[in-house]
């Protein structure tokens, strides 16, 4: 989401005669787009800001802005605590950036952290900042209404709102015309996308079908699905369109119903398992990935074991795994004790990571001998003679270059694997 936001910010500033540069020593302004999801993300931002402070000592016309979730969460406090910072702008106030920058130029500090109920930046054509020109992201909604008890997002990004489907289809069509071959539609809970057209309600399944119909050569992914809202209808739509990728990201967070209840996730272990069975039924070839949090408030050893057993049962192909990090002003911070000792959190996270490494390897080993259509994304980091790309299941494949180039589709037979990568030959 932050990549998309940076591209929107670049577009707004370009309209006001600013130019993007990749060279720090050429820049008059640095905007740090921030994430508040865990404390360590914020600490990294603070270190970065202080590094920019040293540049400022050398070049007095250089300005530093903080945008995104950390700007929203800390507001004026950020200006007080980090004296290097000249500008603080929250995720719904980017249109105000040119005016705020004028204030900064005249020697004042600029701040706008107003949240909006409507802003989607739907009319703005983002300035693409990806490197491969093959895969890109398109935001279809902003904010979140779920208020999971551990999560800072509803506070920093505001209420959920969906973007006009016409602008989504237009932006995606333009990407395809520019040579992009894959888009990921983004929202905190894409299953609750809704847009009223007269009396008709356009839901996510319909939007997805419309985007898939732009061109069969365009792959479409989406993230993130919420287990409480993911419908059979959606799975049927994915099964119908070959260019809708066979990869479902379904964050579980915990395998214990009591922890899920404290997390306010609004589903149980059983409901989640039933959803996994539905994915297996409608999309037998799909990969399934997840997010897991270790050591949430009050988590017992038995509850942790339930997470491990659910992971094993689901046989996830991939997972993002985190240690619980208490975030100020969330329900959990205010009402629940962060009482799992640090060393226990670390040990549980390590057990989760170890199990997932085993599952990831098993998942890749099953692919050896199979042939997959791979979208080529670029040259392998390890060898100039090899390309890398991904399967519909979102698994990375490395293979000899031949005459292929980024943006091509190749049929690749898998000959070997590690827990992170498939290795193959073009057929
Ligand atoms: N909207 C998405 C996820 C957004 S945040 C969803 O609901 O799935 C991405 C992931 O960060 C979450 O799925 C969760 O696993 C993790 N996360 C969020 N808040 C966290 C916290 N306070 N501590 C640790 N991990 C957290
Ligand atoms: Fe956070 Fe929950 Fe919303 Fe995801 S669904 S962004 S975890 S509140």
């Amino acid at each position: 989401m932050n990549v998309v936001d940076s591209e929107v910010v670049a577009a707004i500033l370009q309209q006001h005669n600013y130019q993007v540069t990749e060279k720090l020593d050429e820049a008059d302004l640095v905007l740090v787009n921030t994430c508040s999801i865990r404390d360590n993300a914020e600490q990294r931002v603070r270190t970065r800001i202080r590094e920019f402070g040293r540049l400022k000592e050398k070049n007095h016309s250089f300005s530093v802005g903080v945008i995104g979730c950390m700007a929203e969460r800390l507001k004026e406090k950020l200006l007080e605590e980090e004296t290097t910072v000249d500008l603080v702008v929250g995720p719904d106030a980017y249109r105000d950036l040119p005016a705020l920058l004028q204030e900064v130029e005249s020697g004042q500090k600029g701040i706008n952290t107003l949240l909006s109920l409507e802003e989607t930046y739907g009319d703005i054509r983002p300035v693409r900042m990806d490197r491969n020109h093959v895969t890109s992201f398109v935001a279809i909604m902003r904010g979140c209404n779920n208020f999971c008890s551990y999560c800072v997002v509803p506070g920093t990004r505001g209420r959920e709102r969906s973007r006009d489907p016409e602008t989504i289809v237009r932006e995606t069509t333009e990407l395809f015309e520019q040579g992009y071959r894959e888009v990921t539609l983004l929202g905190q809970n894409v299953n609750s996308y809704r847009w009223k057209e007269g009396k008709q309600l356009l839901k996510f399944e319909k939007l997805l079908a419309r985007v898939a119909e732009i061109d069969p050569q365009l792959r479409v992914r989406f993230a993130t699905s919420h287990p409480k809202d993911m419908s059979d209808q959606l799975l049927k739509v994915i099964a119908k369109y070959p260019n809708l990728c066979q990869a479902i990201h379904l964050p579980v967070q915990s395998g214990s119903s009591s922890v899920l209840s404290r997390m306010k996730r609004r589903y149980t272990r059983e409901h989640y398992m039933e959803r996994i069975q539905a994915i297996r039924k409608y999309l037998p070839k799909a990969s399934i990935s997840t997010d897991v949090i270790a050591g949430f408030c009050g988590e017992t050893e038995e509850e942790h074991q339930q997470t491990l057993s659910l992971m094993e049962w689901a046989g996830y192909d991939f997972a993002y795994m985190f240690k619980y990090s208490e975030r100020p002003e969330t329900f959990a911070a205010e009402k629940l004790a962060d009482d799992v000792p640090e060393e226990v959190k670390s040990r549980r996270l390590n057990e989760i990571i170890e199990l997932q490494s085993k599952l990831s390897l098993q998942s890749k080993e099953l692919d050896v001998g199979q042939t997959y259509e791979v979208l080529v994304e670029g040259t392998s980091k390890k060898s100039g003679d090899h390309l890398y790309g991904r399967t519909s299941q979102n698994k990375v494949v490395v293979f000899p270059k031949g005459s292929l180039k980024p943006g091509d589709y190749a049929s690749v037979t898998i000959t070997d694997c590690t827990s992170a990568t498939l290795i193959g030959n073009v057929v």
Side-chain angles (χ1 to χ4, degrees):
M1 206 62 170
N2 269 3
V3 173
V4 173
D5 274 15
S6 295
E7 294 179 336
V8 164
V9 165
I12 292 171
L13 290 178
Q14 236 174 38
Q15 284 167 5
H16 289 79
N17 300 324
Y18 287 82
Q19 274 179 354
V20 179
T21 172
E22 289 190 0
K23 295 191 190 120
L24 194 56
D25 52 2
E26 272 183 2
D28 301 309
L29 167 71
V30 167
L31 294 177
V32 188
N33 198 352
T34 57
C35 169
S36 291
I37 202 90
R38 285 167 291 278
D39 184 56
N40 57 10
E42 289 202 357
Q43 293 315 323
R44 278 202 303 273
V45 169
R46 286 185 189 267
T47 309
R48 205 69 212 283
I49 294 171
R50 288 169 199 161
E51 284 165 16
F52 293 135
R54 283 195 283 281
L55 283 177
K56 227 173 151 178
E57 281 164 23
K58 286 191 213 144
N59 173 2
H60 294 292
S61 63
F62 181 73
S63 309
V64 178
V66 176
I67 62 175
C69 288
M70 207 171 150
E72 191 62 50
R73 197 178 81 68
L74 293 166
K75 303 187 171 63
E76 287 83 3
K77 251 211 249 163
L78 200 51
L79 292 174
E80 289 157 21
E81 290 172 0
E82 303 293 341
T83 48
T84 302
V85 177
D86 304 293
L87 180 72
V88 171
V89 188
D92 285 346
Y94 296 148
R95 287 182 205 266
D96 198 23
L97 263 165
L100 291 166
L101 280 166
Q102 279 192 347
E103 287 178 27
V104 170
E105 268 170 40
S106 67
Q108 302 163 47
K109 301 255 172 182
I111 180 161
N112 186 343
T113 54
L114 284 178
L115 285 173
S116 152
L117 295 176
E118 287 103 32
E119 181 64 272
T120 63
Y121 302 110
D123 57 314
I124 289 176
R125 288 182 160 81
V127 173
R128 300 294 162 191
M129 298 208 281
D130 60 273
R131 289 176 192 272
N132 64 20
H133 299 291
V134 177
T135 62
S136 192
F137 298 99
V138 173
I140 63 164
M141 54 210 293
R142 296 181 72 84
C144 183
N145 285 351
N146 282 316
F147 290 93
C148 300
S149 65
Y150 50 81
C151 185
V152 79
V153 170
T156 56
R157 301 190 70 92
R159 293 293 61 73
E160 178 186 289
R161 64 219 98 123
S162 296
R163 176 177 171 191
D164 182 342
E166 293 309 322
T167 69
I168 297 170
V169 172
R170 188 188 68 205
E171 186 180 327
T172 311
T173 307
E174 286 173 359
L175 282 168
F176 184 73
E177 287 166 356
Q178 288 160 21
Y180 286 85
R181 289 294 172 264
E182 184 183 297
V183 290
T184 304
L185 306 181
L186 289 181
Q188 297 298 348
N189 175 10
V190 291
N191 313 102
S192 61
Y193 177 89
R194 49 189 56 238
W195 185 263
K196 275 222 175 95
E197 282 178 326
K199 282 194 180 138
Q200 293 244 313
L201 183 65
L202 184 91
K203 291 171 68 168
F204 182 60
E205 295 80 28
K206 266 274 178 57
L207 174 75
L208 197 57
R210 274 176 73 174
V211 175
E213 282 164 11
I214 290 172
D215 197 291
Q217 289 294 302
L218 178 73
R219 274 187 177 177
V220 184
R221 303 184 185 278
F222 59 87
T224 300
S225 294
H226 196 300
K228 77 178 165 59
D229 297 325
M230 204 198 53
S231 66
D232 286 2
Q233 195 48 40
L234 172 63
L235 298 172
K236 287 181 197 164
V237 170
I238 299 171
K240 192 171 147 201
Y241 291 89
N243 57 330
L244 289 179
C245 287
Q246 298 270 328
I248 304 286
H249 187 63
L250 198 66
V252 66
Q253 315 299 0
S254 166
S256 147
S257 292
S258 43
V259 174
L260 288 169
S261 161
R262 293 201 290 283
M263 287 179 164
K264 292 189 179 287
R265 286 290 285 179
R266 294 188 275 164
Y267 55 84
T268 59
R269 175 187 174 96
E270 290 68 33
H271 173 83
Y272 185 89
M273 290 170 86
E274 191 273 319
R275 290 293 78 205
I276 295 279
Q277 281 166 333
I279 298 171
R280 299 265 183 247
K281 175 176 157 200
Y282 292 107
L283 306 170
K285 291 190 181 141
S287 63
I288 305 180
S289 54
T290 200
D291 294 353
V292 184
I293 299 178
F296 184 63
C297 306
E299 187 186 70
T300 63
E301 205 52 39
E302 199 190 332
E303 288 167 338
H304 165 61
Q305 289 300 328
Q306 287 190 312
T307 297
L308 295 175
S309 74
L310 182 62
M311 290 174 71
E312 186 102 45
W313 176 85
Y316 291 118
D317 297 278
F318 178 80
Y320 293 105
M321 298 154 284
F322 312 102
K323 221 189 280 185
Y324 171 57
S325 163
E326 185 179 85
R327 307 310 294 130
E329 291 174 44
T330 56
F331 180 90
E334 286 175 358
K335 301 275 192 275
L336 304 172
D338 181 13
D339 53 1
V340 177
E342 189 54 33
E343 64 274 16
V344 177
K345 276 187 193 170
S346 296
R347 196 251 304 148
R348 289 182 187 166
L349 178 65
N350 285 339
E351 288 174 8
I352 288 169
I353 293 172
E354 217 168 282
L355 172 58
Q356 186 53 49
S357 301
K358 183 187 92 176
L359 297 175
S360 296
L361 182 62
Q362 280 173 0
S363 140
K364 307 277 185 320
E365 281 171 347
L366 287 173
D367 293 333
V368 175
Q370 307 283 333
T371 300
Y372 290 100
E373 184 180 63
V374 174
L375 173 60
V376 182
E377 290 182 24
T379 305
S380 161
K381 274 194 200 119
K382 288 193 186 143
S383 149
D385 301 333
H386 287 72
L387 296 170
Y388 76 93
R390 273 176 299 150
T391 64
S392 171
Q393 286 77 6
N394 214 8
K395 293 182 188 171
V396 174
V397 190
V398 173
F399 50 96
K401 202 173 219 158
S403 55
L404 292 160
K405 58 181 188 318
D408 288 345
Y409 285 99
S411 223
V412 179
T413 299
I414 309 305
T415 53
D416 203 356
C417 69
T418 66
S419 65
T421 313
L422 298 173
I423 296 148
N425 283 314
V426 179
V427 286

